[in-house]
Amino acid sequence: GRVARKWLNIAGMDHETPVVPDLAPGSGNTKCFVPEDTQSEKESFLTVDKAGDYLAANIIVKLAKEHKRELVIFAIGPLGPLAKACEKNSEIVQQIGFLAIQGQLKVHGNLIEPDFSSFNLREDQAAARVVFETLQHCVPFKLLGKHAAYAVPLSKDDIKHIPNFTTEVKTFLSILMDKNLELFQRLYPVSEDKIVDGSWFEDLDHVCNPYDPLLFLSVAHPDLFLQQHHGLHTSVGNDEHNKGVKNAEVIRQKL
């Protein structure tokens, strides 16, 4: 919740925009990288209740009932609260306008299923299954997969205008390198010598991939992407052969 508020502040949105952390038991991985300059819980103006009350799910149901087709949901993390909202009142949640997900899907006949090679869907697989099974017959899904993000790598120059972000990216990549060196080297090719002498970050051609920003951009400017259609649903970058990016430089400038 604190990190979400930090990014809303950077975007110029005041604390009247609610941030509702999911405190429900079994809601998946509750740990994330929190930059040092992130405001305190009190300063983040979080909407919280006691753990176990499913406040996030209740708010989703409430907003869906009030706004119906005017409500759209962007899922850039595990789907636990949305799954719980579906279980609480599926008929209400089925009335939303569309669901945008940063992740990939699999097609089986006339049905779509979550692709668990996607981090957001893999983190809470049971929740992803509930959401796909409950909503896919009446709510359009718009997915932006990791393969599109891989096609639009961002350099240090691309992100330098965001306050403190370069330092935060380096810290996050250091954590990734310590935890999973094989994955780090696959995503960010750099020589062993540079890792040993500590100059690896300066040697990187790119430092991050815009997974979540591309999802929002693909909805706001679909003309910049090549979409695949799956009945009611669309996807961009669903596999390595369908990256869905028309012109990476144009998209990079738009971001």
Side-chain angles (χ1 to χ4, degrees):
R2 294 166 56 210
V3 175
R5 179 62 71 194
K6 170 186 169 69
W7 281 105
L8 288 174
N9 288 344
I10 290 174
M13 302 181 72
D14 62 31
H15 61 79
E16 295 300 319
T17 303
V19 174
V20 189
D22 178 23
L23 303 179
S27 58
N29 187 354
T30 57
K31 296 180 179 180
C32 69
F33 169 60
V34 180
E36 290 185 5
D37 63 341
T38 303
Q39 55 269 57
S40 68
E41 182 175 334
K42 183 178 180 180
E43 296 170 323
S44 298
F45 299 97
L46 304 180
T47 303
V48 297
D49 207 337
K50 59 184 180 181
D53 278 359
Y54 300 107
L55 181 61
N58 291 338
I59 288 180
I60 291 173
V61 173
K62 177 177 179 291
L63 291 174
K65 187 174 183 178
E66 291 175 357
H67 300 285
K68 297 183 172 60
R69 295 295 175 193
E70 293 182 355
L71 177 67
V72 298
I73 294 177
F74 284 81
I76 56 173
L79 300 180
L82 182 55
K84 183 57 64 175
C86 289
E87 291 171 343
K88 281 178 168 290
N89 198 325
S90 61
E91 291 185 3
I92 291 295
V93 182
Q94 286 169 345
Q95 297 178 43
I96 68 171
F98 65 80
L99 171 62
I101 300 174
Q102 196 287 296
Q104 297 91 245
L105 56 75
K106 291 183 176 181
V107 179
H108 294 283
N110 295 324
L111 300 177
I112 59 171
E113 297 179 355
D115 180 348
F116 293 129
S117 68
S118 312
F119 175 83
N120 292 333
L121 302 177
R122 182 175 66 247
E123 279 295 283
D124 193 336
Q125 296 184 22
R129 290 190 181 97
V130 168
V131 169
F132 272 65
E133 291 170 4
T134 304
L135 300 183
Q136 68 172 279
H137 298 292
C138 44
V139 175
F141 285 31
K142 302 175 185 288
L143 288 93
L144 186 289
K146 61 185 178 183
H147 303 284
Y150 293 163
V152 190
L154 300 181
S155 69
K156 290 183 282 290
D157 281 344
D158 292 325
I159 65 172
K160 64 183 180 182
H161 65 287
I162 305 175
N164 302 318
F165 192 47
T166 301
T167 300
E168 293 170 12
V169 167
K170 183 176 181 180
T171 302
F172 174 78
L173 292 181
S174 298
I175 295 171
L176 174 62
M177 184 166 56
D178 290 340
K179 287 188 173 182
N180 194 332
L181 181 59
E182 180 183 353
L183 176 61
F184 171 82
Q185 290 181 311
R186 187 163 73 245
L187 296 176
Y188 304 96
V190 65
S191 70
E192 198 75 37
D193 292 342
K194 297 295 183 180
I195 294 177
V196 172
D197 67 23
S199 64
W200 58 271
F201 188 73
E202 290 70 24
D203 198 53
L204 291 179
D205 291 329
H206 81 282
V207 294
C208 63
N209 299 89
Y211 302 93
D212 300 340
L214 275 193
L215 174 63
F216 290 91
L217 190 65
S218 69
V219 172
H221 297 279
D223 55 300
L224 298 178
F225 300 87
L226 297 170
Q227 297 181 341
Q228 292 179 278
H229 293 269
H230 317 281
L232 186 62
H233 316 292
T234 59
S235 67
V236 173
N238 200 54
D239 59 70
E240 61 182 346
H241 303 296
N242 295 282
K243 294 182 172 64
V245 171
K246 289 184 178 180
N247 186 314
E249 186 55 36
V250 170
I251 290 176
R252 191 177 291 110
Q253 293 301 318
K254 198 72 173 176
L255 287 172

